[in-house]
Amino acid sequence: MAVTKLFGAKVKRREDPRLITGKAIYTDDVKLPGLLHAAIVRSPHAHARIVGIDLSGARQTPGVVAVFTGADLAGKVGPLPCAWLIPNADLKTPPHPAIATDRVRYVGDAVAVVVAEDRYSARDGADRVKVDYAPLPVVTAAEQAVAGGAPLLHEQAPQNIAFRWKVTGGDAAAAFAQADAVISQRFVNQRLIANAMETRGAVADYNPNTGDLTLWVTSQNPHIHRVILSGVLGIPEHRLRVISPEVGGGFGSKIFVYPDEAIVAFCSRELGRPVKWVEDRRENYLVTAHGRDHVTDVALAVRRDGTLLGLRGRTYANLGAYLSTAAPGVPTILHGLMLSGAYVLPAIDYEVVGVFTNTAPVDAYRGAGRPEATYLVERLMDLAAGELGLDPIEIRRRNFIRKEQFPYTVVTGITYDSGDYEHALDTALRMLDYPAWRERQRRGPTDGKLIGIGACTYVEICGLGPSPVAGAVGFQGGLWGSAVIRVHPTGKVNVFIGEKPHGQGEETTFAQVVSDELGVPIDDVQVIYGDTAVTPMGWGTYGSRTTPVGAAACAVAARKIIEKGRKIAAHLLEAPEADVRFEGGRYFVEGAPSRAKTFQEVTLQAYLAWNLPPGLEPGMEASAFYDPPNFTYPFGTHLCTVEVDPETGGAAITNYIAVDDCGRAINPLIVDGQVHGGITQGMAQALWEAAVYDDRGQLLTGTMMDYAVPKASQVPLFVTARTETPSPHHPLGVKGVGETGTIASPAAVVNAVLDALRPLGIRHLDMPLTGNCIWNAIQQARMKTKGVSP
Amino acid sequence: MKRAITVTVNGVTHHHEVEPRLLLVHYLREVLGLTGTHIGCDTTSCGACTILFNGLTAKSCNLLAVQANGATILTVEGLAQDGRLHPIQEAFWEEHGLQCGFCTPGMMLSALQILARNPDPSEAEIRHGLDGNLCRCTGYQHIVNSVQNAARRLKAEAVPAIPVTATAQSAGGKGGR
Ligand code: FES
Ligand code: FES
């Protein structure tokens, strides 16, 4: 491992100057000569047959250039594919047309598109498209959708079941037979909306003379967009250029390929002019993939001393009306395989049923499956502790996988790379002064407020790769990272990466890595991404994979550069290659440090090529496609204290402490930023956020007034710390950190609130724990103790 | 149908004929090409479109361009002066007060108003003052730090938080709020 000076330093972000001056180009900022604007007409019904569409009013609207319906797309735009075909699950993949032709299946399903000279006219035209719908019965909840007599969404999927997937390991029947106690609970992990501050958008520019299509799109993975849209549109990949400019947050929602992008590309190809579509916030709520939405019945078998014996359960995962790009993998592979948590758990017998309903498609949202798994496991640990009379910290400690047990294969079959769970836990307990808080809680409230202390000890699966595993679990792609390093004659460096950062700061962290490896100043390194025409193929930024996988690719490519340089330097210095060392930006002969060439001198010679070793190609460029040998497994402990006001039901977070171990941290400032943002999103799930449909499939939380994205005054101060357990298989020891906060915080916060409510006999409440939810529970608990039935 | 307007933006006066229904944010972004002002919701909920309108913060997604007739506007593009970043920009950069940067222009302009009213705000005052601006990336802590950092910088440099070009009311202005 290179001894480095920027690794671990709080380097100010290089992406910031353009962002703080308003000079950054987001998709909506892209302007082209002759640009047209599209507005998509969307179904107001959750389920209906399309009886007829009248486009005459729209066509007559001033400024309108064209109106298209699903019929116009026939033979030109294929259905949107699902790209995670989980095996052994009898997966059904009913077609997902870009524009519905005969039937709509959720509110927001596209039925037509209006293209006009400006966005106001496009919207005017869209308002004048008249669709005659024959409403059909609606089902929005997964359990109801699989029950007899529920309306059927797709003929291909009887009972609305998309898949049944099982994970089993160990002998669960024996575990439950031996148990001293069985903790059973039903958990609802509510539906959420990602709410990136920038909505989605696309600008398509088709050139009829060359057949080339350029698409600017809000994407976390432009190469995946290219691969999939190439198939959907029938445009060969080398003729399709996808540019993902500045992207204003994604949190998963910009991984997927949506109908809208195919529609815009189609419009441009039909009209021979560039076309822009930008989602408004209402559309974002209706059609951008939602997250979570699990209903789970689960049981945990334990011994009296708290030892875990086994876990059994079933989750109904609501997938919405169609399978989004990665939908089947989230509640199964990313959720089911992580149900062992940070613990030695000898047996699991668990089923996930994926279900179609008349709601927006559901897919990966920050954490994707791991927050759901962690929430189940960590709530069960608290419930078990309560039942057995153990301290919640103690039961966790007793069951931890010990640091000497790594690498550790859990019963679901995956192998955790490294960990020291007790160290992170102890660090967090010390930072909070846990015993003091328990004491304060025991003394009872002085001001009527109830004090609760909650913990979450988690482990997550990160750094998505290696590719053979991706293939084995049905993901229709590889999961490696790529980098091309091009050193110019003067020694200045461009790094082209396949991943697409969108706020995570990898433009800076990768520059730090390359600068260290090559021994050049960071200002001599520029990181370039987001354009399929210039960057190497890559699988995208999600699953906290970009730094662990992409930074490794950068390091490997840089080391190839150094090796090539060593050949040239040895030749120039007339020394055996094995005797030439590289350090601090210089090649020198071992034992004769003055016999040296700088990196820049060697690079210049690589380009001049006047005097290269025989047979060596000129130029100084290297590429790396890094396929990791295993996933990485960050872990940590989050602790939270709350004060619940029994008169209002309001829960206020009084302390939030996060100790995360993401292996080696390249830039601690950026790591902290990721952790803060992640905790906030998880905390918001615990206390405020929910996507709510009514019985007819209307989204009640369809505006920012109704969906509770947290504000600055609602969020506490976070205290963060890190322990450092490098990944043993990673060239930089890096694990990934983008999702840890969102994975840990829902359980930490909910455990704290329910700890506060325990004296009232309240065992469990489902998220979000709004004031109303808590207040109602308190009222019911009080009536019960008074013997009044509510 | 079109109406003539005169608007001073970042110290430059513009005359345009605009549709009465044109939103101010679209005027800034599409007509003037000042795309630093962003649209996150167009229903006054997110604050991404925040500008200074006659020296006070306003959400430009809920004003019409015609209402800006005679007004003086500051957008993010007007913060840096003479090639030098405004202290609020320096502060956001130094404190890692942004990630994707989409909320950032609106955040910085709201922060300026907080500091113009109270050069030494408490953490709670800053958080309360930023409640009209949503950030989905940062968890706010680094934004709060940025505002505190900006407060220190402004005090040290003894300059007003809001650049003077943003507050000068042009004569006959009737576009105020
Ligand atoms: S775009 Fe104006 S407040 Fe959101
Ligand atoms: S930095 Fe992304 S929304 Fe604030």
Side-chain angles (χ1 to χ4, degrees):
Chain A
M1 205 174 291
V3 185
T4 56
K5 68 178 199 297
L6 288 179
F7 201 113
K10 293 185 173 185
V11 175
K12 278 203 311 185
R13 293 203 324 173
R14 300 145 64 73
E15 37 279 84
D16 288 359
R18 63 176 185 268
L19 298 168
I20 55 179
T21 53
K23 289 283 180 238
I25 310 286
Y26 297 85
T27 298
D28 193 21
D29 302 332
V30 173
K31 277 192 190 165
L32 298 168
L35 185 65
L36 296 171
H37 296 260
I40 294 172
V41 181
R42 301 188 180 279
S43 169
H45 294 279
H47 203 185
R49 276 191 309 108
I50 300 173
V51 179
I53 305 183
D54 176 3
L55 303 176
S56 53
R59 291 208 162 108
Q60 284 155 21
T61 304
V64 168
V65 172
V67 189
F68 300 108
T69 65
D72 298 307
L73 272 59
K76 295 178 174 174
V77 178
L80 278 300
C82 172
W84 201 334
L85 308 176
I86 52 168
N88 308 319
D90 192 19
L91 176 68
K92 309 289 195 301
T93 56
H96 181 191
I99 297 186
T101 48
D102 54 347
R103 187 167 159 195
V104 289
R105 291 184 174 84
Y106 72 108
V107 174
D109 220 349
V111 290
V113 58
V114 176
V115 188
E117 295 289 349
D118 64 281
R119 62 177 93 198
Y120 288 52
S121 306
R123 184 48 58 93
D124 287 345
D127 288 346
R128 291 166 116 196
V129 170
K130 289 207 189 92
V131 185
D132 186 6
Y133 295 101
L136 294 167
V138 170
V139 64
T140 59
E143 280 175 305
Q144 286 163 17
V146 300
L152 190 67
L153 269 81
H154 303 280
E155 297 305 322
Q156 301 89 330
Q159 273 187 287
N160 296 310
I161 293 176
F163 62 79
R164 281 182 181 277
W165 178 88
K166 274 190 88 91
V167 55
T168 50
D171 187 344
F176 278 80
Q178 287 168 26
D180 293 323
V182 171
I183 317 313
S184 300
Q185 184 59 47
R186 178 185 173 84
F187 292 103
V188 176
N189 205 297
Q190 82 271 30
R191 181 180 281 241
L192 300 177
I193 297 175
N195 266 297
M197 289 313 299
E198 179 208 29
T199 57
R200 289 184 302 113
V203 181
D205 185 18
Y206 181 74
N207 183 333
N209 298 316
T210 61
D212 293 347
L213 181 90
T214 304
L215 183 73
W216 287 261
V217 61
T218 46
S219 172
Q220 298 179 218
N221 32 237
H223 292 89
I224 290 188
H225 266 89
R226 185 177 64 168
V227 168
I228 292 181
L229 286 171
S230 162
V232 170
L233 298 167
I235 296 176
E237 259 174 276
H238 66 303
R239 292 279 183 208
L240 181 55
R241 175 180 184 184
V242 177
I243 302 173
S244 173
E246 214 74 63
V247 171
F251 316 112
S253 70
K254 293 170 183 168
I255 299 171
F256 323 119
V257 179
Y258 291 88
D260 319 302
E261 297 141 18
I263 293 171
V264 177
F266 163 83
C267 291
S268 178
R269 188 165 57 178
E270 288 297 300
L271 301 171
R273 285 175 65 179
V275 179
K276 179 190 283 188
W277 164 80
V278 176
E279 190 183 56
D280 65 26
R281 185 57 64 181
R282 172 77 181 151
E283 285 180 289
N284 178 268
Y285 278 118
L286 289 178
V287 304
T288 291
H290 295 176
R292 319 279 192 258
D293 208 345
H294 288 189
V295 176
T296 300
D297 283 294
V298 65
L300 182 71
V302 286
R303 257 206 276 276
R304 195 162 295 111
D305 65 359
T307 308
L308 305 186
L309 298 172
L311 180 133
R312 242 185 339 216
R314 174 184 294 138
T315 288
Y316 286 96
N318 189 342
L319 304 172
Y322 301 100
L323 290 183
S324 172
T325 312
V330 177
T332 55
I333 312 301
L334 295 176
H335 172 249
L337 299 187
M338 292 307 293
L339 285 169
S340 198
Y343 310 110
V344 174
L345 176 60
I348 286 184
D349 181 0
Y350 200 89
E351 185 183 41
V352 180
V353 184
V355 184
F356 292 113
T357 65
N358 297 113
T359 60
V362 176
D363 209 319
Y365 163 58
R366 198 169 193 171
R370 290 93 91 204
E372 296 93 314
T374 302
Y375 179 71
L376 284 187
V377 174
E378 291 299 295
R379 279 295 298 135
L380 284 169
M381 294 303 277
D382 264 36
L383 290 171
E387 190 133 335
L388 300 171
L390 292 170
D391 183 281
I393 299 298
E394 187 52 31
I395 192 171
R396 287 172 167 82
R397 201 188 287 281
R398 283 184 195 178
N399 286 287
F400 274 157
I401 301 162
R402 318 255 150 237
K403 86 173 174 203
E404 57 281 359
Q405 288 176 281
F406 292 96
Y408 183 84
T409 302
V410 289
V411 72
T412 58
I414 51 178
T415 302
Y416 296 175
D417 55 349
S418 63
D420 186 350
Y421 302 163
E422 273 204 281
H423 181 38
L425 173 71
D426 288 332
T427 307
L429 293 174
R430 234 186 353 262
M431 286 165 66
L432 179 67
D433 197 350
Y434 181 75
W437 272 93
R438 282 285 175 220
E439 181 51 36
R440 195 186 300 193
Q441 186 185 36
R442 248 188 310 273
R443 282 201 307 268
T446 50
D447 54 359
K449 304 259 176 68
L450 304 166
I451 290 176
I453 306 155
C456 174
T457 58
Y458 72 93
V459 57
E460 71 147 317
I461 184 169
C462 248
L464 299 186
S467 303
V469 177
V473 298
F475 184 70
Q476 302 298 298
L479 281 173
W480 36 264
S482 67
V484 170
I485 297 185
R486 182 171 299 156
V487 188
H488 299 287
T490 53
K492 309 286 184 204
V493 182
N494 282 133
V495 184
F496 301 86
I497 59 169
E499 286 73 35
K500 174 63 181 75
H502 44 284
Q504 298 89 341
E506 277 103 359
E507 201 172 319
T508 303
T509 46
F510 286 18
Q512 286 177 254
V513 169
V514 172
S515 155
D516 279 348
E517 293 282 342
L518 298 183
V520 300
I522 191 167
D523 288 342
D524 287 359
V525 181
Q526 182 76 346
V527 179
I528 293 167
Y529 51 85
D531 182 349
T532 61
V534 298
T535 59
M537 171 78 194
W539 291 100
T541 291
Y542 45 81
S544 301
R545 67 184 300 280
T546 288
T547 299
V549 183
C554 289
V556 173
R559 290 169 195 182
K560 289 183 184 176
I561 295 273
I562 295 302
E563 285 318 302
K564 180 166 186 184
R566 188 191 312 279
K567 285 189 174 40
I568 299 171
H571 180 74
L572 297 176
L573 295 168
E574 295 175 350
E577 206 182 309
D579 291 354
V580 174
R581 287 191 47 192
F582 179 75
E583 221 176 84
R586 291 165 77 246
Y587 292 94
F588 58 92
V589 180
E590 185 85 70
S594 58
R595 276 179 70 197
K597 293 280 174 195
T598 65
F599 179 70
Q600 284 79 6
E601 286 174 304
V602 167
T603 303
L604 183 61
Q605 190 49 242
Y607 282 96
L608 295 177
W610 297 336
N611 185 14
L612 291 181
L616 192 72
E617 279 181 21
M620 200 60 128
E621 193 167 314
S623 66
F625 293 80
Y626 174 81
D627 207 345
N630 187 8
F631 300 92
T632 58
Y633 293 87
F635 60 89
T637 291
H638 288 205
L639 294 177
C640 164
T641 64
V642 296
E643 270 181 12
V644 176
D645 183 341
E647 300 315 315
T648 64
I653 293 168
T654 45
N655 281 283
Y656 197 99
I657 288 172
V659 177
D660 296 297
D661 192 318
C662 60
R664 297 183 71 213
I666 301 173
N667 187 328
L669 198 61
I670 289 177
V671 168
D672 266 346
Q674 289 292 306
V675 170
H676 291 171
I679 296 171
T680 305
Q681 287 184 18
M683 184 177 280
Q685 167 166 31
L687 295 179
W688 306 298
E689 291 186 19
V692 180
Y693 282 97
D694 72 7
D695 289 346
R696 298 192 310 167
Q698 295 296 333
L699 184 63
L700 300 179
T701 49
T703 73
M704 277 192 161
M705 299 293 281
D706 308 302
Y707 188 94
V709 176
K711 299 165 189 285
S713 63
Q714 290 175 289
V715 179
L717 200 77
F718 308 115
V719 181
T720 62
R722 272 182 298 283
T723 59
E724 193 172 292
T725 311
S727 173
H729 62 74
H730 190 277
L732 300 166
V734 166
K735 285 192 167 185
V737 76
E739 296 161 295
T740 51
T742 316
I743 288 166
S745 59
V749 174
V750 171
N751 280 341
V753 172
L754 285 154
D755 185 55
L757 298 178
R758 191 193 315 267
L760 301 173
I762 297 169
R763 185 172 181 272
H764 177 72
L765 297 171
D766 282 319
M767 301 182 287
L769 303 183
T770 59
N772 187 43
C773 159
I774 295 171
W775 188 84
N776 277 328
I778 292 173
Q779 298 312 308
Q780 283 182 15
R782 281 179 177 165
M783 281 192 268
K784 216 188 275 168
T785 48
K786 283 190 205 136
V788 189
S789 62
Chain B
M1 264 305 260
K2 290 202 171 180
R3 296 253 301 266
I5 59 169
T6 300
V7 192
T8 303
V9 182
N10 304 331
V12 180
T13 301
H14 302 269
H15 306 281
H16 279 105
E17 302 251 308
V18 298
E19 292 239 20
R21 67 173 175 170
L22 182 70
L23 294 175
L24 179 56
V25 67
H26 285 141
Y27 173 74
L28 295 170
R29 290 179 50 82
E30 310 284 336
V31 180
L32 299 187
L34 295 170
T35 53
T37 304
H38 297 149
I39 303 171
C41 66
D42 58 40
T43 50
T44 51
S45 301
C46 77
C49 66
T50 303
I51 55 166
L52 288 182
F53 190 100
N54 291 334
L56 295 176
T57 50
K59 290 180 173 175
S60 58
C61 69
N62 262 251
L63 284 169
L64 296 165
V66 290
Q67 289 176 281
N69 187 24
T72 298
I73 287 172
L74 181 77
T75 71
V76 64
E77 288 91 345
L79 284 177
Q81 307 264 324
D82 307 323
R84 210 181 138 227
L85 293 178
H86 186 281
I88 191 86
Q89 292 172 309
E90 293 281 6
F92 269 73
W93 192 8
E94 183 164 290
E95 300 289 344
H96 188 27
L98 60 149
Q99 290 181 21
C100 77
F102 197 78
C103 71
T104 312
M107 278 291 173
M108 292 191 300
L109 288 158
S110 286
L112 280 191
Q113 171 145 320
I114 295 170
L115 294 173
R117 288 180 175 168
N118 178 359
D120 199 12
S122 67
E123 184 198 326
E125 285 166 340
I126 295 171
R127 287 182 183 272
H128 179 69
L130 292 176
D131 266 354
N133 294 71
L134 297 177
C135 175
R136 193 59 163 168
C137 297
T138 63
Y140 300 108
Q141 188 154 323
H142 284 167
I143 295 180
V144 173
N145 295 350
S146 301
V147 180
Q148 289 168 333
N149 180 315
R152 289 195 298 273
R153 285 169 185 271
L154 289 164
K155 216 178 294 169
E157 294 183 26
V159 293
I162 296 176
V164 274
T165 46
T167 46
Q169 306 245 353
S170 46
K174 49 184 180 296
R177 304 238 293 163

